[in-house]
Amino acid sequence: QVQLVESGGGLVQAGDSLRLSCVASGRIINNYYLGWFRQTPGKVREFVAEIRRSGATTYSDSVKGRFTISRNNAKNTVFLQMNSLKPEDTAVYYCAANLGDLGSRTDNYWGQGTQVTVSS
């Protein structure tokens, strides 16, 4: 199966930036949608951003204008550049992959998550 490994999380102050990375391996194919979700304890996992192989992107309203998703198709890697971080961005961020729209599918592949904590 597809394996996803996230990295780049950490503890930062409000207004700072972080860059998350996710490397896909295993049964990954080049036309997969790649993206990011986030989750805090006791809450539902929330869609953040996705990118198709063509480079077309989708963002949640809460991060639009602050976060940028990108991918390196040759390396099966997806990135999330997070700027102007806010305390409400604090969550575990999960990498996701699928053959279709990530927010509409129930069979996404998931990484183990990386913690992002933003202090005020």
Side-chain angles (χ1 to χ4, degrees):
Q1 291 186 332
V2 172
Q3 297 177 5
L4 304 170
V5 180
E6 305 97 333
S7 63
L11 173 63
V12 299
Q13 296 186 116
D16 285 353
S17 297
L18 281 174
R19 180 179 169 88
L20 306 183
S21 299
C22 173
V23 179
S25 62
R27 193 174 171 82
I28 188 76
I29 58 177
N30 290 335
N31 63 338
Y32 271 39
Y33 288 50
L34 299 174
W36 297 89
F37 289 69
R38 64 188 183 185
Q39 187 171 26
T40 57
K43 294 186 177 181
V44 67
R45 191 167 295 186
E46 175 192 18
F47 171 80
V48 175
E50 70 177 7
I51 185 168
R52 289 177 274 180
R53 193 177 191 277
S54 66
T57 58
T58 303
Y59 296 93
S60 68
D61 289 339
S62 62
V63 307
K64 194 173 300 181
R66 298 187 298 119
F67 292 9
T68 303
I69 189 170
S70 60
R71 66 189 288 170
N72 185 324
N73 292 328
K75 297 183 178 181
N76 290 329
T77 303
V78 62
F79 306 94
L80 186 68
Q81 178 66 45
M82 305 185 294
N83 297 327
S84 301
L85 282 163
K86 304 174 181 180
E88 51 262 45
D89 295 318
T90 295
V92 177
Y93 283 71
Y94 295 91
C95 184
N98 214 316
L99 288 170
D101 178 50
L102 296 170
S104 300
R105 306 283 296 222
T106 60
D107 59 347
N108 292 342
Y109 292 99
W110 298 102
Q112 293 298 310
T114 185
Q115 177 70 48
V116 173
T117 302
V118 185
S119 62
S120 60

